[in-house]
Amino acid sequence: MEWNPETLQFLSQCFLHTLSPVPEPRRAAERSLSGAADLPNYGLAVLRLVAEPSVDEQTRHAAAVNFKNHLRSRWLPAGESGIAPIIDSEKQQIKTLIVSLMLSSSPRIQSQLSEALAVIGKHDFPRSWPELLPELIASLQRAALAGDYASVNGILGTANSIFKNFRYQYRTDDLFLDIKYTLKTFAAPLQEVFLKTASLIDPAVSSGGSAATLKPLFESQKLCCRIFFSLNFQDLPEFFEDHMNEWMGEFKKCLSSNYPSLERTSDGLSLVDDLRAAVCENINLYMEKYEEEFQRFLSDFASAVWTLLRDVSKSPSRDQLATTAIKFLTTVSTSAHHALFAGDNVIKEICQSIVIPNVSLRDEDEELFEMNYIEFIRRDMEGSDVDTRRRIACELLKGLAANYKRQVTEVVSLEIQKLLSSSAANSLRWKDKDCAIYLVVSLATKKAAGASVSTDLIDVQSFFTTVILPELQSQDVNSFPMLKAGSLKFLTMFRSHMPKQFAIQLFPELVRFLKAESNVVHSYAASCIEKLLLVKDEGGNNRYVAGDISPFLLQLMTNLFAALKFPESEENQYLMKCIMRVLGVAEISGEVAGPCIKGLTDILSEVCKNPKNPIFNHYIFESVAVLVRRACQRDISLLSAFETSLFPSLQMILANDISEFLPYAFQLLAQLVELNRPPIAPGYMQIFLLLLSPDSWKRSGNVPALVRLLQAFLQKAPHEVTQENRLSQVLGIFEKLVSSPSTDEQGFYVLNTVIEYLDYNAISPYITGVWSALFTRLQNKKTVKFQKSLVIFMSLFLVKHGPAFLVETINSVQPNVFTAILEQFWIPNLKLITGTLEVKLSAVAATRLICESPVLLDPSASQRWGKMLDSIVTLVSRPEEERAVDEPEMPEISENVGYTAAFVNLHNAGKKEEDPLKDIKDAKKFLVDALASLSKTAPGKYPRIIGETLEEANQKALLLLCNAYNCVMV
């Protein structure tokens, strides 16, 4: 794309139209730009438009955003995306222009160009862009000298974006070379600007300087602190170690000083707090990583942070400062310097002035509880990545308890009692009670198993009876909802402490709370029921069984489905997970099954219109699967009612090609087919014909579920499968799957099911082609996984149709190829087989081969016979970890380009593993019995071969097996 007046006109018009509120011109402009983006020098032309003063600011800003995004998608080589990358000559011109243009731009455009520069820097800095840092430093020094802090901050912001890449990379020689170069070039100028700016702040504050004067200076200091963090993150640089006094002195001043002209406005206070938070992150980094070098400053900083925290208000705008400051104190409390907290009343002071104020509910917490229940639960119950004040304050107590457990327990227990007394004296002070409950729950210690918790703060039973139970027995489920939620959370946390009979009496109360209007309360009630049903006693048995919940099961299910109709809970994953868990435990009668299947299919029909919540959707399908499985186990006559209810939803998913739900639909259909008794209904056979279409198999995410469904049809409708050339189509699917390492295992699932359930007469015309496909793949791409799968298939074929058929059909591919397959492949891979059923199958098949097949019983085959027996003994006598060899296998990228919905297995619709050798209980006994019988046909022959061919360890193992089963070889 040439830069000329026509290009300027074209781009200006396009970017102007992209801002249009009218869809058609906007889309036309976006299409034009998308087409132009493939032309060489497009990015350079857009950058020149951004620099063009004759174009209005709004259009140039739109161009700057487009330029940044263009660089993100095209700076690197095309790779798999196929998007044409920016050519090298254009890249060089962009790098020549961008720094000066960024510095001369307005703040809005400057921020976009700064991000674009960081995109280039991420890939090219420093090796492919050695000019960048010297240019930035020269510009920084000129701007600082002139007092032009708009430019200073633009340069520092760009450097911060580039240097952030140093923080979380793996420690490699290349990374440290890049950091070394950056430090050598940039550390001194950074310190120069940091100290110069500090020298401007002090007199400005003393003379009552205006907020307008101070804001750019504070922004500059904050950026310097962020860069300091990046440059110090991997290791302590010599430069910063040598100049620690200067940096730490300014850091301490930031934490200890007041800045009235800034702090009187909310945005000014926010800027000061951002700087203080950045300082706290820096000193926390030094405390965690460079404690020895930092310890001389520690006492002053601990005091400064502590003092600062006592003055930090509960306003949400100050959350970042509060959490970073408390995190620093927590790091100190768990370090070798924890003695700073050992003084009289220090822990009491921390608890009263820092912990309790930060754990107490704020108006913002109540607003989040009411307006965004999902985010509230994510923070409160699930422990999201967001550091809340409540959680970080409790982490400080846990840190102190690591060295001062008795003192912390005494102080916190006393504070809890004060809070409870306060709320008991005045019901309006319910937040004190909430604070007490939160402290107990948050400071509970989880044991290794996960579900079991303990606490030294209270007697759990007594606390539950006096504090929690009155809330749970309250008849008004909508009063004091935050207190109700905290009480439900307490019961959930300490569920294993509750005696069974006592907890069963509470179940009706929990069922009642499902009617609460608060989304958090009915979510916590559902979660509490769900977690209670998972509790196990010491023997590993479930504490609560079907009989425990049967008296109120119908009401429980009614309330759960009713709760899903509350506003904003239509896709509440906690409610749906509870439905799934209850159905997995309960005795499902027709009375319960009917309303449940109707409720689930109604919800399914609704979410099919617009799938949004993957977790909720997964639990719907799991709920359907467990309902069908458990109800039909009890009463198979319910199957037809389930089919009537489910088929419209499943057909909707198939007809509308709802990609997120297709794998689930196929698994549910497989479950229904397996529950059917032949002959299969015509409706299912229509789905079977759809299954045979090659188009159905194009999405890799659908393959495991399609295979699962195909296996169900092979098992339940073998006669229908073998009609009208359908078996040929099934085997075509097998060949396609087995040809690729990413799907070969699925191909074997199909093939194994064909061998297991179809009559050999139907298979025989195709068997040579099957072997041919398998051996071609073995020759072209031999992986450990494929070889193990092939051994298992050959073993299955042998036990179903005998050794003679196996040898004969394999040799039909090529005369005498069986011997080569045996020596080069079967014998060496037999010992790699894992899995109880697979080991048994492979051992029995190999035993039959050496004891029944003329190919191995021929005198000339004695070496092969001995090697095969050696592999069998290894397989049955050594643990898996000594035998197994796995290899990492990458998917074939070419087959998985583009978005595909990932397959998610439905646990409750899983295929039941069938043992093809139900009559044989013990493969080891089968082996020694067969060897003993064989040895009688030629006394002395086989002990001699064993002595000559088996490893010494395996000879001993075989002898031990013979002795164990009282078998003698002659």
Side-chain angles (χ1 to χ4, degrees), residues 302-324:
S303 175
V305 169
W306 186 343
T307 304
L308 178 66
L309 271 170
R310 284 191 292 196
D311 297 331
V312 173
S313 71
K314 295 171 77 171
S315 164
S317 65
R318 310 198 75 182
D319 282 358
Q320 177 67 13
L321 173 59
T323 55
T324 53

Side-chain angles (χ1 to χ4, degrees), residues 744-793:
D744 54 11
E745 207 164 23
Q746 299 295 328
F748 276 110
Y749 293 157
V750 174
L751 188 56
N752 290 345
T753 313
V754 166
I755 293 298
E756 200 159 352
Y757 292 103
L758 268 55
D759 185 80
Y760 186 73
N761 291 332
I763 304 167
S764 61
Y766 305 101
I767 199 65
T768 301
V770 167
W771 290 124
S772 203
L774 292 170
F775 298 153
T776 300
R777 167 62 209 280
L778 186 65
Q779 199 169 14
N780 294 340
K781 191 162 181 63
K782 185 164 54 176
T783 64
V784 171
K785 180 175 61 135
F786 178 83
Q787 292 177 100
K788 287 160 67 174
S789 296
L790 184 50
V791 167
I792 291 164
F793 169 68

Side-chain angles (χ1 to χ4, degrees), residues 544-760:
Y544 305 100
V545 294
D548 298 324
I549 59 173
S550 58
F552 44 86
L553 177 61
L554 204 55
Q555 188 63 55
L556 169 56
M557 300 313 295
T558 302
N559 288 8
L560 281 166
F561 281 109
L564 284 161
K565 293 177 181 170
F566 279 114
E568 296 185 35
S569 270
E570 296 88 352
E571 296 191 19
N572 185 317
Q573 66 198 51
Y574 306 99
L575 293 170
M576 190 53 70
K577 189 177 185 183
C578 185
I579 289 171
M580 177 197 74
R581 191 73 63 209
V582 171
L583 292 174
V585 172
E587 195 72 42
I588 311 293
S589 63
E591 184 189 19
V592 174
C596 286
I597 197 64
K598 183 184 185 309
L600 289 168
T601 49
D602 286 350
I603 295 163
L604 187 53
S605 298
E606 203 56 39
V607 297
C608 280
K609 295 173 187 174
N610 182 19
K612 295 194 293 278
N613 183 340
I615 299 172
F616 177 79
N617 296 338
H618 179 78
Y619 288 140
I620 294 174
F621 286 100
E622 284 285 12
S623 298
V624 172
V626 72
L627 175 62
V628 170
R629 176 171 62 83
R630 288 182 58 80
C632 290
Q633 278 174 352
R634 189 172 185 268
D635 182 1
I636 194 63
S637 68
L638 291 170
L639 180 60
S640 60
F642 287 145
E643 290 172 331
T644 303
S645 295
L646 282 170
F647 255 64
S649 295
L650 297 176
Q651 285 169 334
M652 186 196 308
I653 293 167
L654 298 179
N656 296 332
D657 194 31
I658 303 171
S659 58
E660 297 94 329
F661 290 170
L662 283 171
Y664 291 126
F666 293 137
Q667 290 176 83
L668 286 181
L669 284 165
Q671 185 185 27
L672 293 171
V673 169
E674 286 172 350
L675 287 166
N676 265 266
R677 291 178 182 148
I680 297 293
Y684 285 113
M685 292 315 297
Q686 289 175 357
I687 292 166
F688 177 65
L689 296 178
L690 175 73
L691 194 58
L692 297 180
S693 162
D695 288 345
S696 301
W697 298 81
K698 284 184 177 175
R699 290 193 192 121
S700 60
N702 289 346
V703 167
L706 286 168
V707 166
R708 170 95 175 77
L709 179 54
L710 184 52
Q711 286 179 287
F713 279 113
L714 289 166
Q715 180 180 345
K716 287 292 181 173
H719 176 71
E720 290 87 340
V721 169
T722 55
Q723 305 301 304
E724 301 175 16
N725 199 39
R726 291 170 189 158
L727 181 56
S728 173
Q729 292 172 278
V730 169
L731 292 172
I733 292 167
F734 143 72
E735 283 198 37
K736 177 80 171 69
L737 294 174
V738 90
S739 66
S740 163
S742 61
T743 55
D744 54 11
E745 207 164 23
Q746 299 295 328
F748 276 110
Y749 293 157
V750 174
L751 188 56
N752 290 345
T753 313
V754 166
I755 293 298
E756 200 159 352
Y757 292 103
L758 268 55
D759 185 80
Y760 186 73

Side-chain angles (χ1 to χ4, degrees), residues 280-281 284 288 305 309 321-333 387 392 396:
C280 286
E281 288 194 328
N284 191 55
E288 286 181 333
V305 169
L309 271 170
L321 173 59
T323 55
T324 53
I326 295 171
K327 198 177 283 186
F328 169 72
L329 292 183
T330 304
T331 303
V332 176
S333 74
D387 279 328
I392 206 73
L396 174 56

